[in-house]
Amino acid sequence: LQRTEAQYALYTHGVLDAEVWRLRSTYIKSTLNNPLLKEIWQTEKTNSMFTRAFIAEMDKIDAAEAPTFLGASANEGAGRDPA
């Protein structure tokens, strides 16, 4: 998450392209769908490790728009026959 916050800083200062930030932020948000990582994120938000702006940005990203990588197979929901 520290790397993602650094990328967020680059994005807010116009160094990182908006599309790249959108892809990276939705990816990291999708990892937070994992219950253990979600619990860690909730703890990390309260330990003064991240800026309030970054926390707000991550919390506003809709998890529904984020692809699921953890806990789902590559074929799940893709219309492919897993066999």
Side-chain angles (χ1 to χ4, degrees):
L1 286 170
Q2 290 174 330
R3 178 182 284 177
T4 305
E5 184 177 34
Q7 292 172 350
Y8 174 69
L10 292 173
Y11 165 68
T12 60
H13 289 91
V15 176
L16 189 68
D17 181 74
E19 179 183 10
V20 174
W21 169 246
R22 183 185 59 78
L23 292 169
R24 291 180 182 169
S25 61
T26 55
Y27 170 79
I28 197 67
K29 185 66 173 188
S30 73
T31 66
L32 297 178
N33 288 332
N34 175 289
L36 176 60
L37 297 177
K38 186 178 222 170
E39 184 178 331
I40 291 169
W41 171 238
Q42 293 305 316
T43 301
E44 292 290 310
K45 291 192 306 184
T46 63
N47 72 7
S48 302
M49 181 91 159
F50 299 103
T51 64
R52 287 186 298 251
F54 176 69
I55 292 169
E57 178 71 11
M58 292 307 298
D59 284 347
K60 83 174 187 177
I61 297 169
D62 184 3
E65 73 183 46
T68 301
F69 296 100
L70 300 174
S73 73
N75 292 327
E76 194 172 285
R80 290 176 273 187
D81 187 337

